[in-house]
Amino acid sequence: NGTLERYEGFTRRLSGAGTDFIIFPETSMPFYFRRPENASYYGRITGLAREMKAPMLVGSLERTDDRTYNRAFLISPHGDVLGYQDKVHLVPFGEYLPMEWLFGYLEGLTRESGRFAPGSEHRVLRLPGRETPFGVFVCYQSIFPEIARAYAGQGAEFLGNVTNDAWFGTTSAPYQHLAMGVFRAVENGLPMVRAANTGISGAVDASGRILIATGLFEPRFLTTQIAPARERTFYTRHGDILVLLCAASTAWSLYSIRRNRS
């Protein structure tokens, strides 16, 4: 309840600011979002969207068919769930136990943090009203270039990263995580907004410039403006072809050197 009150307080301070989109971090609502026993909490969040007259992206959990998903819910200004994005690439030994036949003795690790099921696909969501398409990274999925490229290929005009970086404390990991998001923005020429429960939250433009950012463990909210982008980059259109060409060129050079020496 205290967590929800804090997010409600931050959000209401945006009242009258003409906000187009409000983003909460990964698992910012630490309960099963649409379970009947949590109806009062669910009602407060959807009511908040109606009160602010703005769409919201809220990180929470979903339980369906005895499977738990780490999910980001898109809520309309009318309080309806319009869509969601699940975390697809789960963290081994943190969110699931790989090769249980071999690592079964480590079951206690995932029991502490939860056993999650992976989402089925990455798909763009659309801001209601404007219908602007965007792609969502849940946590460390921002390390995978192919995910951002897939979103760009589906027409995404900006990227969103919701994350829980509390695991990493005050180490260098939150800074590295932000840097990975910067690379995804540059590769695809798309701005990125980022909401992290303990920081670093902020925004990055399509050229990789950090527009605004919080510190670590700094309780605050940010407002910023981004310019959605529609032009596709060379990387979006052709992927890792340059890397493959460089690898092939290097291999051929090494082969030629060895052949000339023999």
Side-chain angles (χ1 to χ4, degrees), residues 13-214:
R13 288 168 63 182
L14 295 169
S15 182
T19 305
D20 295 316
F21 193 25
I22 299 168
I23 302 179
F24 287 0
E26 175 192 17
T27 58
S28 53
M29 300 296 104
F31 52 82
Y32 291 113
F33 196 59
R34 295 191 283 192
R35 290 287 286 265
E37 61 268 28
N38 296 317
S40 62
Y41 297 142
Y42 174 84
R44 286 168 63 178
I45 290 296
T46 55
L48 189 61
R50 290 192 296 271
E51 177 184 335
M52 299 300 298
K53 298 181 176 60
M56 297 174 59
L57 188 71
V58 177
S60 191
L61 304 178
E62 183 87 289
R63 182 77 172 170
T64 60
D65 300 325
D66 295 324
R67 293 163 69 86
T68 300
Y69 296 92
N70 186 347
R71 185 165 284 184
F73 294 89
L74 178 62
I75 303 172
S76 79
H78 304 293
D80 304 312
V81 174
L82 299 178
Y84 58 83
Q85 177 60 60
D86 291 329
K87 188 173 185 180
V88 176
H89 289 274
L90 301 176
V91 178
F93 304 106
E95 294 175 316
Y96 79 103
L97 189 65
M99 296 186 291
E100 293 188 35
W101 57 273
L102 178 62
F103 297 112
Y105 65 95
L106 295 174
E107 171 68 23
L109 289 176
T110 52
R111 188 184 304 117
E112 289 297 321
S113 58
R115 294 289 296 273
F116 293 93
S120 59
E121 62 179 333
H122 296 101
R123 58 183 180 274
V124 297
L125 301 174
R126 294 182 180 274
L127 285 183
R130 297 171 180 264
E131 295 304 314
T132 304
F134 67 98
V136 178
F137 301 120
V138 179
C139 196
Y140 254 83
Q141 291 189 120
S142 60
I143 72 174
F144 299 103
E146 64 272 16
I147 298 178
R149 183 175 174 237
Y151 283 139
Q154 294 175 43
E157 297 181 13
F158 70 93
L159 302 172
N161 181 205
V162 296
T163 185
N164 175 354
D165 282 356
W167 306 89
F168 309 113
T170 56
T171 67
S172 62
Y175 299 93
Q176 293 170 352
H177 194 184
L178 171 62
M180 292 171 189
V182 171
F183 274 100
R184 304 294 83 84
V186 172
E187 287 166 348
N188 298 281
L190 297 177
M192 181 192 72
V193 289
R194 189 169 194 269
N197 63 335
T198 56
I200 303 167
S201 297
V204 178
D205 69 13
S207 63
R209 183 167 58 101
I210 297 176
L211 302 174
I212 192 170
T214 68

Side-chain angles (χ1 to χ4, degrees), residues 59 83 117 120 131 135 217 224 246:
S120 59
E131 295 304 314
F217 293 92
T224 189
C246 289

